[in-house]
Amino acid sequence: VHLKIYPEEEHLIDQANIDPDALDIIFQLQEHGHEAFLVGGGVRDLLLKKQPKDFDISTSASPEEIKKIFQRRCLLIGKRFRLAHIRASRTVFEVSTFRGGDIENAALIVRDNRWGSAEDDVLRRDFTINALFYDPTTRSLYDYVGGFQDVHNRILRSIGDPVIRFKQDPVRMIRLIKFRARFGFDIDPKAEKAMNSCKEEILKSAPARLLEEMFKMLESGASCQFFELMREHAFLEILFPCFHHFFCGEAKEIAHTYLQTIDEFHLKHDAPLNRALLLCTLVFPILEQELMTLSQDRQTPLSFGDILYLSQTLLQGIDTSSFAHFPKKILSATHFITTNQFRLTPLKGRPKFHARITHNEEFDLALQFLAIRAKINPELKELYLEWRQALRG
Ligand code: ATP
Ligand code: MG
């Protein structure tokens, strides 16, 4: 391993773009004699001239030592991966102790709490672009793995042997796709090959982590690209067969249009859409298609009861066939939102404007979803405005 240190004139990170509270935490750790750096996605985003969402800090201090310095501002959390949360004026920062993971052992990592040096900590990270350390005191960038060059050449490269790294933690493959979707970087051929041979390993990952990455991507502004890459690399088929089926069929365009609409929203706004609403963007077009098929097969018009039934069975089918199960609360809110679309915009005739439903939080989500549909289908815009008028006065 060869360490390269880039001075400010070369890396051009502007310290003004770093949250002063994060700088303050790093300075305090250093004043107590510990090593401390800004690390991970925050440094990568600064190099890409994108405003980072969060600033993570790594230090040689143990969790107990961190606790001693920050006292009541500090909460030690996690079991599989112990961390310190440090409260600051506006947000909470994650401070993690340098870890010395075994990067040559292909066994699935279940616990990762062995402390190490700064260099060890770099080597257990996933991709070179995520493994850069920034020291605000010297304003230098520490690069052990060629990550600086890879950012500039726009390449996603695993640290170490990608086959081993993906077997240790299969979620890294999904992260690879996520960074490709978000930044449009090329995937290093070795990593691409490893991903193809390790696909099935994804079934060994923790479903909750996977679901979290999925929702984060729905909120990212690059969800359409992400789902397309997930489909291309067969992860959609393995993890969410119902969505795969839809993304391969004739209705693919519609599925894309929904995701593009939420992407546009997330590129414009800071706060992400509600997660039930995000799930609706995947579920609703499928439901609409199934309703269409059903009404063609049948002579009598569809009732609201038919819609309730179809939505319920569809959601159940999606959830049971998926590798990661959705939280009950999200499923029931999704069902409420999808079915109420047919109250807001009935299959036949004009809607009945109920004053009674005004104070329902979930109904507000249903209305927000109608706004998304109206973006896709401008004919719905007028009805959306009428509803808003009727409900919000
Ligand atoms: P985002 O912008 O989505 O937050 P990120 O790269 O910051 O992307 P985080 O989940 O916040 O992702 O993780 C912070 C850092 O921790 C990463 O940049 C990477 O260095 C390291 N990391 C995260 N997940 C893994 C993993 N599964 N294996 C190895 N290192 C990881
Ligand atoms: Mg991050």
Side-chain angles (χ1 to χ4, degrees), residues 59-82:
T59 177
S60 58
S62 68
E64 290 71 26
E65 287 169 328
I66 301 170
K67 176 81 188 163
K68 217 179 267 168
I69 297 170
F70 296 95
Q71 310 219 346
R72 267 185 303 177
R73 281 178 64 199
C74 169
L75 189 69
L76 298 183
I77 63 150
K79 193 169 160 172
R80 184 187 170 277
F81 196 99
R82 285 180 69 207

Side-chain angles (χ1 to χ4, degrees), residues 226-270:
F226 176 75
F227 272 82
E228 197 42 36
L229 288 166
M230 287 288 282
R231 187 191 63 75
E232 270 173 35
H233 290 89
F235 286 113
L236 209 52
E237 189 174 6
I238 299 173
L239 300 171
F240 299 98
C242 286
F243 296 147
H244 170 79
H245 185 74
F246 194 61
F247 273 78
C248 284
E250 288 164 40
K252 178 177 170 169
E253 300 277 318
I254 300 169
H256 282 189
T257 311
Y258 272 89
L259 292 180
Q260 280 157 0
T261 308
I262 60 165
D263 284 346
E264 257 167 52
F265 179 93
H266 287 122
L267 292 174
K268 257 192 255 159
H269 301 85
D270 274 340

Side-chain angles (χ1 to χ4, degrees), residues 41-42 44 54 56 216:
R44 175 200 67 216
D54 41 38
D56 296 328
K216 267 174 79 177

Side-chain angles (χ1 to χ4, degrees), residues 39-42 44-45 53-56 94 175 178 182 216:
V39 300
R44 175 200 67 216
D45 292 348
K53 277 182 298 175
D54 41 38
F55 293 99
D56 296 328
E94 279 188 0
R175 287 175 55 82
K178 134 174 154 172
R182 257 179 26 198
K216 267 174 79 177

Side-chain angles (χ1 to χ4, degrees), residues 140-202:
S140 314
L141 187 73
Y142 289 71
D143 182 2
Y144 289 90
V145 290
F148 184 72
Q149 282 308 324
D150 286 343
V151 169
H152 284 273
N153 298 330
R154 305 174 64 80
I155 287 188
L156 296 165
R157 197 192 308 277
S158 286
I159 295 169
D161 179 349
V163 173
I164 294 176
R165 304 309 310 282
F166 293 160
K167 284 188 173 162
Q168 283 177 335
D169 180 1
V171 175
R172 288 174 184 149
M173 296 186 281
I174 307 302
R175 287 175 55 82
L176 184 64
I177 287 180
K178 134 174 154 172
F179 296 123
R180 165 128 183 86
R182 257 179 26 198
F183 306 131
F185 283 19
D186 290 325
I187 299 177
D188 166 50
K190 256 174 80 182
E192 178 92 40
K193 214 170 138 221
M195 184 158 59
N196 283 327
S197 69
C198 295
K199 269 186 189 83
E200 304 286 335
E201 300 278 324
I202 197 64

